[in-house]
Amino acid sequence: MTKQAANIEAADPSSAGRPVVGDAHDADGLSSVEATSRIQRFGPNATPDADRNPLRQILGKFIAPVPCLLEAAIVLQLVLGEYIEASIIALLLVFNAALGLFQEGRAQATITALKSRLALNASVRRDGAWTILPATALVPGDIVKLTLGSVVPADVHLLEGNVLLDHSMLTGESMPIEATGGAETYAGALVRRGEAVATVTATGVRTKFGRTAELVRTAHVASSEQKAVFRVVIYLAAINGAITACLIGYAVFIHMPITEVIPLALVAVLGSVPVALPATFTLATAIGARLLARQGVLPTRLSAVDEAATVNVLCVDKTGTLTRNELAVSAIVPMPGHDEAQLLMLARLASSDAGQDPVDAAVRVAAIAASADDAPKLTKFVPFDPATKMAEALATDSAGAALRIVKGAFAIVASLSQAPAEATAKANELETQGFRVLGVASGTGTSLKFAGLLALSDPPRADSAGCIADLRQLGVSVVMATGDAATTAAVVAHAVGLDGPIAPARSIPDRLNPDDFAVFAGVLPEDKYALVKAFQKAGNTVGMCGDGANDAPALRQAQFGIAVSTATDVAKSAAGIVLTEAGLSGIRTAVLAGRVAFQRILTYTLRSIVHKVRQVLFLAVGLVITGHAILTPMLMVISMVTGDFLAMSSTTDNVRPSPRPNSWRIGRLTRAGAVMGVVDLAFCVSVLAIGKYRLQFDIDTLRTLTLVTLVFSGQALFYVVREREHLWSSRPSAIVVLCSMADLLIIPSLAVNGILMAPLPIAVVLSIFGAAIMFAFVLDAVKSVTFRLFKVT
């Protein structure tokens, strides 16, 4: 084993074994044989794929509450020899699963595509020669070259050279840092200026970037959508289970033959299951996701669309999210004898013409309008030197006189030019406000006169303040979380309208409310993660918006994670939605789209609760009235296929987004649905009683009458619950109308013609239809009172 290998073997795993600088092999780098040995020991320089096992994903679609109830119904039908009915239910079950898997597969494909675009290469010294290798092939001990514009491929220790490093994607710090030999830097950092040689100290999951990704994988929060589906099923199972038990008990009490009791139980089970509820949730969010994609918002998880409707707290990263993540000249302070244009002109001469130095780039942009015909002509430029902390230029003015210009750290330039006291006071004031302050001086030789100050900052995006104001109007509280110092964070927070208390650095309480603090400064990735969890523990639905790997754990933990367009691959993978266009306006778009999808799902959910409560109660009352089951398993399956699945058209309905954040209050929804279900039951029982006692129909005809009644009352119910106001307050979508027409024609046509059921006179069918129209207005009045009572919005 080489000395380097021994060093690595003995090193702390978290550092992945830094080799000793000066080892005999340092200059030539690792040999290919040694590199192969180390990659076997340490693994590739990549974070493990977090994709779920496909088999587990498929099985998950068949072990949820609704699928389990459908599977129980299939078993009962197979026992009874009703193979056609069992096959239809099985198809519905597979349809639900396939729709969910299809949408999740599209989302995962998006994440994979995003990752593939951001694959990195590295310049590595192997076998004594420099070569370009995939970054995944790096191992601890490799010698790598960092050049202008490159991304640091692993955690490294700088051996020689000078570079300006941008760590904003990792730490949230907007200001780049100067690094020379002996400094440490991390995977994902960007080289803004200079060149350096470094040795790799950590790869893969052992890097700071990798440990953050590991925290991402451990983050988990249950989807409110899935919790809502589960609670709806539990509530319906509890209510209808009790009714079904009484129903079967009564059937046994009246000595109903066992050959009728079992089908009766099967019908009751089928009548209790909101068959299309999971598919409706998926379809509504998929439609919302498609519309969002057209508006520059790409959902990577369908649940994010639903969560957008319920979010009431949004944590926002500063650097690269609220700000542009690029320095700009924010204040120009000329000294007596100079004006702003002259100060910018001098600073421009002492700045590079190109390159990625963010300070020089900011000065170039600010000085565009300051050029003049009589401007001094540049003869020599000396780039910024980290040792002297300044750049300088030699020029000749319009009279041909030599001119020396220096630009750099205020303290250095001030000492060279004897800056006046007012300049020092102004510089101190600007620095306390979080600005980076540069001094500019000009003169001849060592005789320099202080020309003025330039204050630089990472300015907010143009739409940040407007986005925050819009979100507040929608009832969403916004807080800032940043790795920057409190003074810098406070300046940006004030600029975007986040005026409020600033939390002490790294002091995240166990529980938080959005009014406690407006800004959390000096936070690390694990602090942002803890911040999201603290809001969640207090009962909030939390959104997180960020761009860097340091934001990824919080993005994953939040119910509604948002990655901006310039985000890293880890941030995009962790987030629920990705903004594909610059700016933050997509957040408001996503919130409104989520609330529209929520209202559509709410309509179907409420209809399902009313429908299922009424249906099982109707079976019980029908058994008492007729002494028989008033629906056969086949008729129930027909009702499910036409009713439940045509009602999925509500996912395309015209609805108004909620003015405030939504929440799944299933208890209130169930109580409101139970009240409306009882009113609906009264209508259905009245029709059945007329058919039994006035029209003297036999049991087969009564079963047809029951099915037709359920269709017409179901349509009345749908148009009542689709509106939170009165049923005539808005126009339904064209697809809703077409599906309603299909539902109103299919089963009544089968009934009139006696197909799959006993025939029913057309006059009776039309009479029930007319009665259902009048019933809709009665039910609408009941709904208005019920919604106000139980606060359904």
Side-chain angles (χ1 to χ4, degrees):
M1 181 181 295
T2 67
K3 182 178 178 182
Q4 283 180 311
N7 288 330
I8 291 175
E9 198 69 53
D12 186 327
S14 66
S15 67
R18 181 188 304 164
V20 176
V21 178
D23 183 273
H25 297 285
D26 281 351
D28 293 335
L30 298 177
S31 67
S32 298
V33 174
E34 180 63 22
T36 301
S37 172
R38 294 187 186 188
I39 204 166
Q40 290 174 351
R41 189 157 62 249
F42 294 103
N45 181 33
T47 55
D49 197 347
D51 293 351
R52 290 179 57 190
N53 184 288
L55 181 59
R56 186 176 299 174
Q57 282 185 291
I58 294 171
L59 290 176
K61 298 301 177 184
F62 293 95
I63 58 175
V66 172
C68 286
L69 289 174
L70 291 178
E71 288 153 10
I74 292 171
V75 171
L76 279 175
Q77 287 174 321
L78 292 175
V79 169
L80 294 173
E82 297 172 345
Y83 301 114
I84 296 177
E85 292 89 335
S87 299
I88 295 173
I89 297 297
L91 286 174
L92 299 181
L93 184 65
V94 171
F95 173 79
N96 275 339
L99 186 57
L101 286 170
F102 173 72
Q103 294 298 338
E104 289 176 7
R106 291 183 63 187
Q108 187 56 52
T110 300
I111 295 174
T112 302
L114 289 170
K115 285 184 176 182
S116 67
R117 294 177 192 173
L118 295 171
L120 300 174
N121 294 323
S123 179
V124 190
R125 192 165 181 82
R126 290 272 179 89
D127 299 314
W130 289 103
T131 184
I132 302 297
L133 294 177
T136 54
L138 291 181
V139 295
D142 263 326
I143 304 297
V144 296
K145 183 178 292 184
L146 308 180
T147 57
L148 173 68
S150 67
V151 175
V152 178
D155 286 2
V156 299
H157 173 83
L158 269 62
L159 300 175
E160 59 184 47
N162 295 294
V163 285
L164 183 68
L165 295 170
D166 182 349
H167 283 160
S168 60
M169 289 297 184
L170 298 167
T171 65
E173 298 171 358
S174 57
M175 298 294 185
I177 61 171
E178 299 286 348
T180 58
E184 308 282 341
T185 188
Y186 313 106
L190 178 65
V191 180
R192 291 286 192 180
R193 184 187 64 230
E195 184 173 296
V197 175
T199 182
V200 174
T201 60
T203 58
V205 295
R206 296 177 179 85
T207 64
K208 186 172 183 178
F209 185 92
R211 290 194 295 274
T212 300
E214 183 65 24
L215 191 56
V216 168
R217 284 191 292 276
T218 60
H220 174 73
V221 61
S223 164
S224 62
E225 174 189 293
Q226 293 303 317
K227 289 191 289 187
V229 172
F230 181 76
R231 291 186 65 193
V232 168
V233 173
I234 292 299
Y235 273 66
L236 290 177
I239 296 171
N240 290 337
I243 298 171
T244 300
C246 295
L247 183 67
I248 295 173
Y250 179 77
V252 173
F253 176 75
I254 63 175
H255 304 292
M256 179 180 285
I258 191 65
T259 54
E260 292 189 37
V261 173
I262 294 178
L264 176 65
L266 177 59
V267 168
V269 170
L270 293 175
S272 303
V273 183
V275 180
L277 188 60
T280 302
F281 269 75
T282 302
L283 191 58
T285 51
I287 290 172
R290 182 178 298 178
L291 292 175
L292 281 174
R294 295 173 184 168
Q295 300 178 67
V297 180
L298 182 64
T300 60
R301 292 196 302 271
L302 282 182
S303 61
V305 179
D306 181 60
E307 303 294 5
T310 61
V311 65
N312 68 309
V313 180
L314 180 66
C315 303
V316 186
D317 172 55
K318 180 184 76 68
T319 306
T321 304
L322 287 176
T323 67
R324 301 201 302 256
N325 195 23
E326 59 183 40
L327 288 178
V329 175
S330 301
I332 306 169
V333 185
M335 291 293 104
H338 297 81
D339 58 25
E340 290 189 1
Q342 290 173 326
L343 179 59
L344 286 173
M345 179 183 64
L346 292 173
R348 174 68 182 85
L349 288 169
S351 301
S352 63
D353 286 329
Q356 295 192 37
D357 187 313
V359 173
D360 287 354
V363 171
R364 287 198 303 268
V365 171
I368 288 176
S371 60
D373 294 336
D374 60 348
K377 304 299 181 183
L378 182 68
T379 58
K380 183 180 180 181
F381 171 69
V382 180
F384 180 86
D385 185 347
T388 61
K389 295 186 178 180
M390 67 179 189
E392 62 179 288
L394 298 179
T396 56
D397 61 17
S398 56
L403 183 68
R404 181 189 177 202
I405 307 154
V406 296
K407 172 184 71 78
F410 170 76
I412 301 298
V413 176
S415 65
L416 292 175
S417 58
Q418 298 180 347
E422 63 180 293
T424 302
K426 187 63 177 179
N428 291 335
E429 177 188 342
L430 290 170
E431 285 176 349
T432 58
Q433 294 176 3
F435 292 100
R436 180 173 181 175
V437 180
L438 300 179
V440 180
S442 66
T444 57
T446 58
S447 177
L448 298 175
K449 181 180 179 181
F450 193 80
L453 302 170
L454 297 180
L456 283 77
S457 67
D458 179 13
R461 294 179 187 269
D463 63 344
S464 292
C467 176
I468 290 173
D470 288 345
L471 289 172
R472 282 177 169 168
Q473 287 185 345
L474 293 171
V476 180
S477 299
V478 183
V479 298
M480 178 198 290
T482 176
D484 263 340
T487 52
T488 303
V491 172
V492 175
H494 178 71
V496 298
L498 290 177
D499 295 314
I502 299 176
R506 302 208 64 191
S507 58
I508 308 296
D510 188 56
R511 298 169 70 90
L512 271 172
N513 288 309
D515 296 331
D516 293 343
F517 298 101
V519 177
F520 296 84
V523 295
L524 299 176
E526 53 266 35
D527 298 323
K528 292 184 180 182
Y529 173 81
L531 177 65
V532 170
K533 294 196 73 172
F535 279 124
Q536 290 170 338
K537 284 184 180 179
N540 298 287
T541 302
V542 185
M544 174 69 199
C545 182
D547 70 321
N550 63 313
D551 302 314
L555 287 169
R556 187 69 175 177
Q557 179 63 32
Q559 286 100 334
F560 181 49
I562 309 156
V564 296
S565 59
T566 55
T568 63
D569 59 335
V570 170
K572 289 178 178 178
S573 297
I577 68 168
V578 176
L579 306 182
T580 60
E581 297 178 359
L584 302 178
S585 61
I587 300 176
R588 180 179 183 274
T589 301
V591 168
L592 291 176
R595 294 184 184 183
V596 167
F598 182 95
Q599 290 299 322
R600 291 168 173 170
I601 295 170
L602 183 65
T603 292
Y604 187 89
T605 303
L606 183 58
R607 176 196 174 277
S608 292
I609 292 172
V610 177
H611 189 71
K612 300 307 176 184
V613 169
R614 176 259 285 150
Q615 197 149 277
V616 178
L617 285 172
F618 193 24
L619 290 174
V621 176
L623 177 62
V624 173
I625 291 176
T626 66
H628 299 279
I630 54 172
L631 283 177
T632 64
M634 173 59 82
L635 294 180
M636 178 58 77
V637 169
I638 293 173
S639 174
M640 289 166 54
V641 173
T642 57
D644 285 5
F645 279 85
L646 287 177
M648 286 173 64
S649 62
S650 61
T651 58
T652 69
D653 201 6
N654 297 322
V655 298
R656 292 181 293 271
S658 317
R660 309 295 292 177
N662 296 118
S663 61
W664 283 106
R665 304 185 185 277
I666 302 301
R668 294 182 184 178
L669 208 59
T670 303
R671 289 191 288 273
V675 171
M676 297 177 67
V678 170
V679 176
D680 195 4
L681 174 68
F683 171 76
C684 295
V685 169
S686 299
V687 175
L688 178 64
I690 292 172
K692 169 69 175 177
Y693 299 115
R694 185 177 182 85
L695 301 178
Q696 300 293 314
F697 286 156
D698 59 34
I699 185 59
D700 289 330
T701 307
L702 286 174
R703 285 170 174 156
T704 305
L705 178 72
T706 296
L707 183 60
V708 171
T709 301
L710 291 176
V711 170
F712 289 151
S713 71
Q715 283 297 317
L717 170 65
F718 176 79
Y719 281 95
V720 168
V721 300
R722 66 170 291 273
E723 251 298 338
R724 307 299 165 253
E725 303 296 331
H726 290 295
L727 64 87
W728 57 83
S729 299
S730 66
R731 180 176 56 84
S733 69
I735 294 178
V736 165
V737 173
L738 288 174
C739 288
S740 291
M741 292 174 61
D743 197 24
L744 292 170
L745 290 173
I746 292 173
I747 291 181
S749 297
L750 295 176
V752 170
N753 292 285
I755 301 173
L756 300 176
M757 62 194 77
L760 193 67
I762 190 171
V764 174
V765 172
L766 293 175
S767 297
I768 300 172
F769 179 70
I773 292 175
M774 292 185 288
F775 166 68
F777 290 94
V778 174
L779 188 61
D780 187 66
V782 173
K783 176 202 71 177
S784 297
V785 175
T786 304
F787 278 15
R788 284 197 300 272
L789 179 63
F790 294 110
K791 298 179 181 179
V792 177
T793 57

